[in-house]
Amino acid sequence: MHSENISEKILSLLEENPGMTTREISEKLSVSESVVEDTLKNMSDIRQKILIVDDEMDALLALKVALEAEGYNIAEAKDGYEAIDKVHSEIPDVILLDLMIPGIDGFEVCKQLKSDSMYSHIPVIMLTARGEVDDKVEGIELGADDYVTKPFNLKELKARIKMILRRNQDI
């Protein structure tokens, strides 16, 4: 069952019966109680969500800690396929996308998301050690909203994230 369907079903059950417990909801929808609890928790989290896609655990963890300290809700993916799944289940406000990841690479992830009307509005910041002009141009032509080369300055990256989120709120 898709997470957005679960969210909608939980909401309609709670509208009908506001006092319903997570156990009653899980029995009614035939899903585990932990799925109901996680869905409710995600629905009530109003922080802006950033999906970090990187297969280098050290980089991912450092970035996650730094951005959580700024008050963002962080989701993570370690390869291209997981990135696509996470976008569908988490609906992030912005995606930090490494280009060189296992599965499908960052270019392909960006291309798929930007060609899907459900997700094309989500800004993508490409993060990569590949600083070649051709790579940057390809990323931007595929719909990336920004391109940051590694190693990057954390303060600059945070400013770029804020700028993109602010720009998206104005739309």
Side-chain angles (χ1 to χ4, degrees):
M1 197 181 300
H2 263 57
S3 57
E4 56 263 19
N5 297 350
I6 293 174
S7 300
E8 289 170 20
K9 288 177 179 168
I10 290 173
L11 278 176
S12 66
L13 285 173
L14 287 171
E15 283 168 6
E16 293 167 21
N17 183 353
M20 208 171 192
T21 66
T22 53
R23 172 171 283 140
E24 291 168 334
I25 294 169
S26 75
E27 288 169 0
K28 196 100 163 166
L29 297 179
S30 302
V31 295
S32 74
E33 207 170 333
S34 65
V35 167
V36 173
E37 288 166 1
D38 290 347
T39 303
L40 286 170
K41 191 176 80 181
N42 284 335
M43 287 165 60
S44 65
D45 193 338
I46 57 165
R47 295 176 296 166
Q48 290 177 307
K49 187 177 289 184
I50 298 174
L51 173 61
I52 304 171
V53 184
D54 200 325
D55 62 324
E56 294 174 35
M57 288 311 297
D58 295 346
L60 192 124
L61 193 61
L63 196 51
K64 178 179 178 172
V65 169
L67 293 173
E68 282 177 338
E70 294 284 315
Y72 295 110
N73 179 358
I74 304 301
E76 53 193 76
K78 292 161 197 66
D79 66 50
Y81 297 110
E82 187 182 5
I84 300 284
D85 289 345
K86 286 283 173 91
V87 169
H88 294 188
S89 64
E90 302 280 341
I91 317 290
D93 295 293
V94 67
I95 302 164
L96 302 179
L97 180 60
D98 186 20
L99 286 182
M100 295 181 280
I101 49 174
I104 53 176
D105 69 11
F107 287 126
E108 183 59 28
V109 170
C110 184
K111 185 176 164 188
Q112 285 186 29
L113 293 174
K114 292 299 182 176
S115 65
D116 186 329
S117 62
M118 287 281 293
Y119 308 105
S120 60
H121 69 283
I122 301 172
V124 173
I125 300 175
M126 290 190 162
L127 296 178
T128 183
R130 292 164 57 174
E132 299 297 315
V133 172
D134 288 347
D135 291 331
K136 291 180 182 180
V137 169
E138 184 178 352
I140 289 166
E141 283 177 349
L142 288 173
D145 298 83
D146 206 348
Y147 195 107
V148 178
T149 52
K150 293 178 180 179
F152 51 81
N153 177 299
L154 193 55
K155 199 172 180 179
E156 180 188 355
L157 180 62
K158 288 177 185 176
R160 287 174 180 268
I161 291 168
K162 283 182 182 160
M163 174 194 68
I164 282 180
L165 287 170
R166 198 171 41 242
R167 192 184 313 148
N168 257 32
Q169 285 174 339
D170 296 339
I171 295 173

